[in-house]
Amino acid sequence: MAGIGPFANIIQTARQVVFCGTFTAGGLEAEVVDGKLRILKEGRCRKFVAAVEQLSFSAAYALECGQEVTYITERAVFRLTKGGLALVEVAPGIDVERDVLALMDFTPIMEKVKKMPGDVFQ
């Protein structure tokens, strides 16, 4: 079946929404070595793009409703803010410029970017 099913009904009433997935898609290969993430082969498809063809989640509506929205990937964590998408954490071993910003169609807010806890990568 095509479509998002009950996804829209569930997230409209949630106080917090957490999206989890890879930063890119289509062939991404990564490994953890000595507690650090290494990207071996980048995915062919970018996910953090300036425009999309279809919406199943409205960030603007989430902000209106006061929802806390977090996007978690293998290399970075983002939070939705009134000012836009904020990069809040990066994985150990990830170069922000090369492995994150160069693969986004826009620049996120970067006021307090921290390293993800290293024990996550042990």
Side-chain angles (χ1 to χ4, degrees):
M1 274 190 162
I4 62 170
F7 174 74
N9 297 338
I10 294 168
I11 63 165
Q12 285 187 350
T13 58
R15 284 177 279 160
Q16 183 177 16
V17 179
V18 180
F19 293 97
C20 298
T22 56
F23 191 76
T24 59
L28 173 66
E29 294 179 19
E31 69 178 359
V32 175
V33 176
D34 297 326
K36 295 181 181 180
L37 181 66
R38 287 190 347 174
I39 306 301
L40 302 175
K41 181 180 174 192
E42 197 57 72
R44 294 181 304 278
C45 301
R46 292 179 178 206
K47 292 184 178 182
F48 290 83
V49 295
V52 295
E53 292 178 22
Q54 185 177 1
L55 288 177
S56 56
F57 174 77
S58 170
Y61 184 73
L63 286 171
E64 267 182 46
C65 295
Q67 287 179 314
E68 182 179 317
V69 182
T70 305
Y71 305 84
I72 301 173
T73 74
E74 78 286 351
R75 69 185 81 181
V77 176
F78 298 89
R79 289 228 170 79
L80 181 62
T81 71
K82 291 180 182 178
L85 198 62
L87 175 62
V88 294
E89 291 184 14
V90 294
I94 292 298
D95 179 273
V96 174
E97 188 64 42
R98 179 192 66 223
D99 299 323
V100 178
L101 300 179
L103 300 169
M104 297 179 72
D105 287 356
F106 57 92
T107 302
I109 298 165
M110 295 185 299
E111 293 174 350
K112 297 178 185 176
V113 182
K114 300 185 295 185
K115 288 282 184 198
M116 288 181 187
D119 57 345
V120 173
F121 297 91
Q122 296 298 326

